[in-house]
Short mmCIF file of all heavy atoms in Angstrom, two decimals:
data_model
loop_
_atom_site.label_atom_id
_atom_site.label_comp_id
_atom_site.label_asym_id
_atom_site.label_seq_id
_atom_site.Cartn_x
_atom_site.Cartn_y
_atom_site.Cartn_z
N PRO B 45 -34.17 -3.02 24.16
CA PRO B 45 -34.77 -2.76 22.85
C PRO B 45 -33.78 -2.90 21.70
O PRO B 45 -34.18 -3.05 20.55
CB PRO B 45 -35.24 -1.31 22.94
CG PRO B 45 -35.30 -0.99 24.38
CD PRO B 45 -34.30 -1.84 25.05
N SER B 46 -32.47 -2.85 21.98
CA SER B 46 -31.50 -2.86 20.90
C SER B 46 -31.03 -4.25 20.55
O SER B 46 -30.12 -4.42 19.75
CB SER B 46 -30.27 -2.03 21.29
OG SER B 46 -30.68 -0.81 21.84
N TRP B 47 -31.63 -5.31 21.15
CA TRP B 47 -31.04 -6.63 21.00
C TRP B 47 -31.02 -7.09 19.55
O TRP B 47 -30.06 -7.72 19.10
CB TRP B 47 -31.75 -7.65 21.88
CG TRP B 47 -33.11 -8.06 21.44
CD1 TRP B 47 -34.30 -7.47 21.79
CD2 TRP B 47 -33.44 -9.13 20.56
NE1 TRP B 47 -35.33 -8.12 21.18
CE2 TRP B 47 -34.85 -9.13 20.42
CE3 TRP B 47 -32.69 -10.08 19.86
CZ2 TRP B 47 -35.51 -10.05 19.61
CZ3 TRP B 47 -33.36 -11.00 19.07
CH2 TRP B 47 -34.76 -10.97 18.95
N GLN B 48 -32.05 -6.70 18.77
CA GLN B 48 -32.06 -7.12 17.37
C GLN B 48 -30.93 -6.46 16.59
O GLN B 48 -30.23 -7.09 15.80
CB GLN B 48 -33.39 -6.72 16.72
CG GLN B 48 -34.41 -7.81 16.73
CD GLN B 48 -35.73 -7.30 16.20
OE1 GLN B 48 -36.10 -6.16 16.45
NE2 GLN B 48 -36.43 -8.13 15.47
N PHE B 49 -30.78 -5.15 16.85
CA PHE B 49 -29.75 -4.38 16.18
C PHE B 49 -28.38 -4.98 16.46
O PHE B 49 -27.55 -5.15 15.56
CB PHE B 49 -29.85 -2.94 16.66
CG PHE B 49 -28.74 -2.03 16.24
CD1 PHE B 49 -28.39 -1.90 14.91
CD2 PHE B 49 -28.05 -1.30 17.17
CE1 PHE B 49 -27.38 -1.05 14.52
CE2 PHE B 49 -27.03 -0.45 16.79
CZ PHE B 49 -26.70 -0.33 15.46
N LEU B 50 -28.14 -5.33 17.77
CA LEU B 50 -26.83 -5.85 18.15
C LEU B 50 -26.61 -7.24 17.54
O LEU B 50 -25.53 -7.55 17.07
CB LEU B 50 -26.72 -5.91 19.67
CG LEU B 50 -26.67 -4.54 20.35
CD1 LEU B 50 -26.77 -4.68 21.86
CD2 LEU B 50 -25.39 -3.81 19.99
N LEU B 51 -27.66 -8.06 17.55
CA LEU B 51 -27.52 -9.41 17.01
C LEU B 51 -27.22 -9.35 15.52
O LEU B 51 -26.37 -10.07 15.00
CB LEU B 51 -28.81 -10.20 17.26
CG LEU B 51 -28.66 -11.71 17.32
CD1 LEU B 51 -27.72 -12.08 18.45
CD2 LEU B 51 -30.01 -12.37 17.53
N LEU B 52 -27.93 -8.43 14.83
CA LEU B 52 -27.69 -8.25 13.40
C LEU B 52 -26.25 -7.83 13.14
O LEU B 52 -25.60 -8.30 12.21
CB LEU B 52 -28.65 -7.16 12.88
CG LEU B 52 -29.16 -7.36 11.46
CD1 LEU B 52 -30.04 -8.59 11.41
CD2 LEU B 52 -29.95 -6.13 11.03
N ALA B 53 -25.75 -6.95 13.99
CA ALA B 53 -24.38 -6.47 13.81
C ALA B 53 -23.38 -7.60 14.05
O ALA B 53 -22.36 -7.70 13.36
CB ALA B 53 -24.10 -5.30 14.76
N LEU B 54 -23.68 -8.47 15.04
CA LEU B 54 -22.80 -9.62 15.27
C LEU B 54 -22.78 -10.50 14.03
O LEU B 54 -21.73 -10.97 13.60
CB LEU B 54 -23.29 -10.40 16.50
CG LEU B 54 -22.42 -11.58 16.94
CD1 LEU B 54 -21.04 -11.11 17.30
CD2 LEU B 54 -23.05 -12.28 18.13
N GLY B 55 -23.98 -10.70 13.46
CA GLY B 55 -24.05 -11.48 12.22
C GLY B 55 -23.26 -10.83 11.11
O GLY B 55 -22.59 -11.49 10.32
N ARG B 56 -23.32 -9.48 11.07
CA ARG B 56 -22.59 -8.77 10.02
C ARG B 56 -21.08 -8.97 10.20
O ARG B 56 -20.35 -9.14 9.22
CB ARG B 56 -22.94 -7.28 10.06
CG ARG B 56 -22.83 -6.63 8.70
CD ARG B 56 -23.32 -5.19 8.70
NE ARG B 56 -24.76 -5.10 8.72
CZ ARG B 56 -25.43 -4.39 9.62
NH1 ARG B 56 -24.80 -3.75 10.56
NH2 ARG B 56 -26.74 -4.35 9.57
N SER B 57 -20.61 -8.95 11.44
CA SER B 57 -19.18 -9.20 11.68
C SER B 57 -18.80 -10.59 11.18
O SER B 57 -17.77 -10.76 10.54
CB SER B 57 -18.87 -9.10 13.18
OG SER B 57 -18.85 -7.77 13.60
N TRP B 58 -19.65 -11.57 11.49
CA TRP B 58 -19.36 -12.93 11.03
C TRP B 58 -19.38 -13.01 9.51
O TRP B 58 -18.54 -13.67 8.88
CB TRP B 58 -20.37 -13.93 11.61
CG TRP B 58 -19.90 -14.53 12.88
CD1 TRP B 58 -20.44 -14.38 14.12
CD2 TRP B 58 -18.76 -15.38 13.05
NE1 TRP B 58 -19.71 -15.07 15.04
CE2 TRP B 58 -18.67 -15.70 14.41
CE3 TRP B 58 -17.80 -15.90 12.18
CZ2 TRP B 58 -17.68 -16.51 14.94
CZ3 TRP B 58 -16.81 -16.71 12.70
CH2 TRP B 58 -16.76 -17.01 14.06
N TRP B 59 -20.35 -12.32 8.92
CA TRP B 59 -20.48 -12.33 7.46
C TRP B 59 -19.22 -11.76 6.82
O TRP B 59 -18.68 -12.32 5.86
CB TRP B 59 -21.71 -11.51 7.09
CG TRP B 59 -22.13 -11.56 5.66
CD1 TRP B 59 -22.37 -10.49 4.85
CD2 TRP B 59 -22.38 -12.72 4.86
NE1 TRP B 59 -22.74 -10.91 3.60
CE2 TRP B 59 -22.76 -12.27 3.57
CE3 TRP B 59 -22.30 -14.09 5.09
CZ2 TRP B 59 -23.07 -13.14 2.53
CZ3 TRP B 59 -22.62 -14.95 4.05
CH2 TRP B 59 -23.00 -14.48 2.79
N LEU B 60 -18.71 -10.65 7.37
CA LEU B 60 -17.47 -10.06 6.89
C LEU B 60 -16.33 -11.08 6.97
O LEU B 60 -15.57 -11.26 6.01
CB LEU B 60 -17.08 -8.85 7.76
CG LEU B 60 -17.38 -7.45 7.25
CD1 LEU B 60 -16.93 -6.45 8.29
CD2 LEU B 60 -16.69 -7.18 5.93
N ALA B 61 -16.24 -11.76 8.13
CA ALA B 61 -15.15 -12.71 8.33
C ALA B 61 -15.24 -13.85 7.32
O ALA B 61 -14.24 -14.26 6.73
CB ALA B 61 -15.17 -13.26 9.75
N ILE B 62 -16.46 -14.35 7.10
CA ILE B 62 -16.62 -15.51 6.21
C ILE B 62 -16.30 -15.14 4.77
O ILE B 62 -15.56 -15.84 4.07
CB ILE B 62 -18.05 -16.08 6.33
CG1 ILE B 62 -18.23 -16.71 7.71
CG2 ILE B 62 -18.32 -17.10 5.26
CD1 ILE B 62 -19.66 -17.13 8.01
N ILE B 63 -16.84 -14.00 4.30
CA ILE B 63 -16.57 -13.62 2.91
C ILE B 63 -15.09 -13.33 2.72
O ILE B 63 -14.47 -13.75 1.73
CB ILE B 63 -17.38 -12.37 2.51
CG1 ILE B 63 -18.87 -12.60 2.73
CG2 ILE B 63 -17.14 -12.05 1.05
CD1 ILE B 63 -19.71 -11.44 2.24
N ALA B 64 -14.49 -12.61 3.69
CA ALA B 64 -13.06 -12.30 3.58
C ALA B 64 -12.25 -13.59 3.57
O ALA B 64 -11.25 -13.71 2.86
CB ALA B 64 -12.62 -11.41 4.73
#
Side-chain angles (χ1 to χ4, degrees):
Chain B
S46 314
W47 73 270
Q48 265 174 324
F49 171 54
L50 292 171
L51 205 61
L52 214 66
L54 184 60
R56 209 174 283 126
S57 284
W58 268 114
W59 189 232
L60 260 179
I62 292 172
I63 304 184

